[in-house]
Amino acid sequence: MEDHINDLIHQFEIFIKTYPNVLTDKEKQLLKLSIEYHDYGKLNKLFQDKLKGKVKSDEIPHQFLSPLFFIRKYKEQLNLEEMLIVIYSIINHHARGQDKYLESTQGNDLLIKELENKIKDFFQHIGITQLSDQTKKLYSKYLENITHEIKNTENLNKKLEEKSSFINSLIKVSGILIRIDHSASGDDLTVEEEPINGNREIIFINYLKNQGKQPTLRPFQNKFKDCENLVVVADTGLGKTGLASIWVKRKMFYVLPNRTSTNAMFETLSAIFGREKVGLLHSTGLFYVLNSLESEDYTVLRDYNNTKNLSKPITVATADQIFTAVFKYPTYEKIYATLSYSDVVIDEIQGFDPAQIVPIIKQVKETKNLGTRYLIITATLPSIIKKEFEKLGFQVVIDDPLTLDNTKRHRIKILDKDIFSVKEYITQKAKEGKNVLVIANTVSTAQDLFSLIRDEYKKTNLLHSRFIYKHRREKEYRILKDYKENTGVIWITTQLVEASLDVDFDVLFTEVAPADSLIQRMGRVWRHKREDYKGDYNIFILTQVDEKRVSKIYEKSLREKTIQLIQENLTQEGFLLSEAKRHIVDHLYSEKILKQLNSKYLEKWKEVERVLNSNWTYLFKKEAHKIFRDTFTFEAVPYIFKEDVEELLQRYKNLKDIQDLEKRKFEKISILKQLNDYKVPVPVYWIFGDEIKSKSPYEILDKDLDIFVLAKYFEYDENLGIRISEETLKKYNFDEDIFI
């Protein structure tokens, strides 16, 4: 334990040397005390016996015993707030037991009672046989204060809004203790890696030179590079990534809506700042990095662990990895504390729905008060979001001439037809040598259309979210090459391509959707060209959809209003210009129009706000993360791959035979990556809906590794993905509506 505490002191010194001004002198003193006492509870005999395998449980988690030693020594030396900061940091450095002891007064009383009853069992071997009345009384007071003033969501949120110096210090001390403890407990980890040194403008300009591009900043970048908290609406191709690279002055987090766009940004920022400076943080980030290795490299595991511990100078992450901390799950302080001295870029914020945007805005507000700087860059900005950022004191730029792309890119034809009725027109465009992108609103529509077209036109491909990860990755790679290297190809896709893939097709056929989605889809056509588009229509919007399928995804009122607004804003030639696109999104998502349309968007927004501001204690971290998923999904293995997965699981069990620790670790990660490759995300209602639960939709192969195999009736085809046939629907008496 002494060695471990010394390791923490070493990590503390690294942190202070790397970021000397993050903590005040008093906060440094309190953090050092928290480090010294955080593990004293491990002296208890039950914990020692548990380590030796003599008992299975230490009954009370050690972090609830550690404060007893601290209180005994420092009760007269520190004031109430200082005592609370240290005791809270010690208790909070692990999540275990918090729901039992810190959720209510009854929980506090239970802890004190258990301590009284077991103190002899815990500490008799070091001469402690009873809990003194004074220590008991003080600990009860501190626990009650923590439960009602710090763990209570309503009171905590109030203090964060008031910029309470006490709460700010508590969050920083407790959050940094968690990171220091993780670093000291890992192999060859560090609490903070060396930050970016040198002038970032020069670094970025050197990158431009290496790419063979003009080595100067654009007017757009020059104008906004030194702004503080900024929301800027800017079109694609103006250099938003470059602006982000030079706007950031400190530790950097770059946040995007999904894993695919996050992977792409990781590669870009690695090219600018060096791969060793950039971490990738999402649920399969390690697997992505492993895929890019040409040979075994054990340092990738250390790098990934440093990334998870937020130690990289630059971290590219999905929103669920950063912005779930707003739910105040145990140890959330790790993220808030780190953000307090960081600069955060959020890209394409309109890509989130209200269940995600509302928590993001709330966390932005709270962490901005702690010291975080924010740059929000987006192609469109709904009015309702703009107002929220203005309330927070952000500079909001929506109509600066430097942010506008005046190129005529999208000539639009609105057709009162469904997507199936224009399949001949789609293939005709491809036969003319055009690369055609088709975007359907549901996976099942995309699959049905693909089945109809591919028989007569072989250069037709399908991409959606219900392929196993291995096949989806291959298809994403292929679509990125296809539009550049081939002609006359057809790609049928879903919303997956809206913001995640940097593709540039000649023609788009899309089912109608709300304005923000439609404009994102248009951005996949005539994307990188510098000159005006001069041909026939290159965007076709199909207004007839299967309401049974689509109404669950996009409200009819928003779709209809979108078409009206597009028609009103087209030029005489049929072009929809950049300025008009912004106006449409701003108008559609104004509170006035949403109320007029009786839209559920506003209702959902208000409901999420209510939950966040309610006196809920916290959501478990896993539950909080689910809110940020594109949909509620369940990851499972299609039945066709069951034998392959069983073989991998057997190899996993045999890993204990490998003596070399590094090799065993690397092999373990390799097997987990291969297991992940066989998984496919399916909607939760496919598995847990009342209509299907009785049909044994899956079996568990390995609960610890979350390996579930779908029932046989979920058919998998490498070309189509996961689906269920009409014959099976009839055989099992399923309502086909389940499988949209």
Side-chain angles (χ1 to χ4, degrees), residues 5 12 35 61 78 100 132 146 351 362 367 638 726:
I5 290 169
F12 168 80
I35 287 169
L78 300 175
K100 183 177 179 181
S132 74
I146 286 168
K362 184 168 179 58
T367 52
E726 287 184 25

Side-chain angles (χ1 to χ4, degrees), residues 658-673:
I658 300 175
Q659 299 304 312
D660 185 305
L661 186 61
E662 285 293 334
K663 189 150 185 70
R664 191 193 314 159
K665 269 188 196 173
F666 205 82
E667 183 65 18
K668 175 183 174 182
I669 298 297
S670 176
I671 292 171
L672 290 175
K673 182 186 83 65

Side-chain angles (χ1 to χ4, degrees), residues 141-179:
K141 181 178 82 170
Y142 298 137
L143 286 169
E144 186 179 347
N145 205 305
I146 286 168
T147 295
H148 293 287
E149 298 303 319
I150 301 168
K151 295 295 288 184
N152 178 289
T153 308
E154 195 171 25
N155 289 336
L156 176 61
N157 287 347
K158 227 177 267 181
K159 287 182 173 70
L160 280 165
E161 195 155 328
E162 293 164 357
K163 304 182 187 178
S164 157
S165 59
F166 162 61
I167 286 295
N168 288 1
S169 291
L170 178 137
I171 285 173
K172 286 197 283 184
V173 172
S174 61
I176 292 168
L177 173 65
I178 294 165
R179 289 187 53 216

Side-chain angles (χ1 to χ4, degrees), residues 18 48 97 108 121 159 290 341 344 409 436 461 480 487 525 529 550 587 667 677 734 736:
T18 311
Q48 297 296 320
N108 301 164
D121 297 336
K159 287 182 173 70
L290 282 170
Y341 58 97
V344 180
R409 298 186 181 279
V436 182
N461 306 278
L480 289 168
T487 56
V525 169
K529 314 291 192 301
V550 176
H587 188 67
E667 183 65 18
D677 276 349
F734 287 138
E736 64 174 12

Side-chain angles (χ1 to χ4, degrees), residues 306-370:
N306 270 337
T307 299
K308 282 201 300 182
N309 201 33
L310 311 180
S311 304
K312 287 282 182 184
I314 298 171
T315 302
V316 187
T318 48
D320 62 300
Q321 300 295 321
I322 303 297
F323 284 98
T324 49
V326 73
F327 292 103
K328 313 300 191 300
Y329 53 74
T331 72
Y332 81 92
E333 297 89 350
K334 170 182 173 179
I335 288 174
Y336 269 45
T338 308
L339 293 183
S340 73
Y341 58 97
S342 300
D343 294 341
V344 180
V345 179
I346 307 176
D347 201 347
E348 299 300 352
I349 198 167
Q350 90 292 336
F352 301 100
D353 78 5
Q356 301 161 331
I357 292 173
V358 175
I360 287 173
I361 291 172
K362 184 168 179 58
Q363 187 168 320
V364 166
K365 180 180 183 179
E366 291 176 348
T367 52
K368 177 175 174 280
N369 289 344
L370 283 169

Side-chain angles (χ1 to χ4, degrees), residues 372-528:
T372 318
R373 294 171 70 242
Y374 282 95
L375 169 64
I376 318 292
I377 45 181
T378 183
T380 58
L381 188 69
S383 177
I384 190 170
I385 301 174
K386 177 181 78 173
K387 282 186 179 176
E388 291 300 318
F389 279 108
E390 285 173 340
K391 281 184 204 170
L392 299 182
F394 276 69
Q395 179 184 352
V396 180
V397 178
I398 59 170
D399 53 6
D400 190 287
L402 292 178
T403 68
L404 283 166
D405 169 23
N406 294 311
T407 307
K408 295 178 179 177
R409 298 186 181 279
H410 303 129
R411 194 173 179 205
I412 293 172
K413 182 76 169 175
I414 297 170
L415 300 172
D416 189 23
K417 297 181 177 183
D418 67 57
I419 198 86
F420 298 100
S421 67
V422 295
K423 63 185 179 67
E424 286 82 9
Y425 199 21
I426 292 169
T427 55
Q428 179 193 322
K429 289 286 183 187
K431 287 171 184 174
E432 292 170 3
K434 301 275 175 59
N435 289 331
V436 182
L437 181 64
V438 182
I439 302 182
N441 288 337
T442 67
V443 172
S444 51
T445 299
Q447 289 171 327
D448 292 344
L449 185 63
F450 173 74
S451 297
L452 284 173
I453 291 179
R454 69 167 171 178
D455 290 336
E456 68 167 276
Y457 195 79
K458 297 302 178 191
K459 290 163 74 174
T460 304
N461 306 278
L462 179 66
L463 174 61
H464 54 69
S465 61
R466 290 184 203 155
F467 287 100
I468 63 169
Y469 287 119
K470 179 184 177 185
H471 292 156
R472 175 169 158 180
R473 193 169 58 245
E474 291 166 356
K475 287 172 181 291
E476 287 179 349
Y477 176 73
R478 212 169 351 130
I479 193 174
L480 289 168
K481 289 189 71 177
D482 228 3
Y483 85 88
K484 292 177 184 172
E485 298 177 1
N486 296 310
T487 56
V489 296
I490 298 172
W491 276 88
I492 299 170
T493 67
T494 58
Q495 301 92 318
L496 181 69
V497 302
E498 278 182 19
S500 60
L501 292 171
D502 184 13
V503 294
D504 191 353
F505 279 75
D506 300 316
V507 183
L508 169 69
F509 289 84
T510 175
E511 289 192 294
V512 66
D516 49 331
S517 287
L518 275 186
I519 289 165
Q520 284 290 98
R521 295 177 189 189
M522 292 176 199
R524 309 304 116 185
V525 169
W526 206 255
R527 181 177 176 81
H528 298 132

